[in-house]
Amino acid sequence: MEKLTLEEAKKINATMVTEEHLILHAANVSAAMGAMADHFGEDKEEWEAVGWLHDFDYEKYPEEHLAHTEEPLRELGVPEADIRAILAHGYGLCNDVKPETNMEKSLFTVDELTGIVQAAARMRPNGITDMELKSFMKKWKDKRFAAKCDRPLILQGCEMLGMDIRDVAAIVIQGMKDHAEELQLTGK
Ligand SMILES: [Fe+2]
């Protein structure tokens, strides 16, 4: 394929990922990646597609995450830059593919960051729809909140991007707001 469309990414992902919470995670990361693409003036659909597909092998191979990604995606004709971006989100955890491009650095960062934003939004009456950066940053600073989310890893990603956590979080929150319904983050 010349380009990985979002529709194609969803189709490919659905052949491997069936659990509702994992599909939601894919949607969250996709929304955040679209906003990061806008920020950098890059191809929004490509970044959204990569975000959607990034955990392609996780449900079937949780212990061998990203070891079952490269070959099948290449066989399907997914462009090499997109495959590399997906592999690089496991840098230091699953492999040593270092994030180099802004797309790779963004995926590495928002994969984990969307988890905290999602958890914070779920506690609010209006979900993410009226969430401001300030209230998110309170949750960010409270280390007991969403304690399983790896804050040092997120900060490592921000450093790669050369961006402050506040700026990345603002972009991610906006991207997720734009998809609030799909992400089931409109509140009660
Ligand atoms: Fe992920």
Side-chain angles (χ1 to χ4, degrees):
M1 66 186 77
E2 205 168 307
K3 183 188 156 177
L4 178 67
T5 63
L6 181 55
E7 197 192 341
E8 192 68 31
K10 287 180 181 178
K11 264 195 224 157
I12 295 171
N13 204 56
T15 63
M16 292 283 277
V17 181
T18 60
E19 286 176 32
E20 172 81 12
H21 73 108
L22 293 177
I23 297 169
L24 258 185
H25 171 64
N28 273 291
V29 172
S30 176
M33 285 297 283
M36 290 298 283
D38 277 346
H39 171 77
F40 286 110
E42 297 279 353
D43 185 334
K44 185 169 189 165
E45 190 179 9
E46 181 189 8
W47 289 40
E48 285 177 341
V50 163
W52 199 286
L53 196 52
H54 80 283
D55 276 340
F56 172 77
D57 72 1
Y58 180 71
E59 182 177 321
K60 287 207 163 49
Y61 304 98
E63 306 299 325
E64 297 169 5
H65 184 30
L66 295 176
H68 303 268
T69 291
E70 197 170 353
E71 301 282 308
L73 293 188
R74 188 167 290 136
E75 263 170 45
L76 289 165
V78 174
E80 288 300 318
D82 299 339
I83 295 175
R84 192 182 191 281
I86 290 170
L87 294 177
H89 97 270
Y91 176 64
L93 303 165
C94 310
N95 59 44
D96 55 6
V97 182
K98 194 175 180 196
E100 306 281 3
T101 66
N102 282 329
M103 179 165 72
E104 293 170 352
K105 293 170 183 174
S106 294
L107 182 59
F108 180 88
T109 309
V110 307
D111 180 26
E112 200 72 6
L113 180 53
T114 53
I116 310 189
V117 176
Q118 182 191 42
R122 279 178 168 171
M123 294 186 63
R124 301 166 58 84
N126 298 318
I128 198 159
T129 59
D130 58 358
M131 183 157 109
E132 288 179 8
L133 178 63
K134 206 172 140 191
S135 73
F136 171 75
M137 288 310 296
K138 275 192 204 146
K139 298 291 186 194
W140 167 266
K141 283 170 190 152
D142 177 2
K143 298 283 152 66
R144 291 162 304 174
F145 179 78
K148 279 189 291 180
C149 289
D150 191 340
R151 286 168 172 80
L153 185 131
I154 294 167
L155 289 173
Q156 188 191 347
C158 291
E159 204 181 306
M160 288 178 194
L161 286 163
M163 291 171 75
D164 193 279
I165 175 64
R166 280 176 184 74
D167 297 325
V168 182
I171 293 166
V172 165
I173 290 166
Q174 187 55 54
M176 289 170 64
K177 269 184 192 174
D178 293 344
H179 293 262
E181 295 245 356
E182 182 188 6
L183 303 180
Q184 299 171 22
L185 292 178
T186 55
K188 277 145 206 134

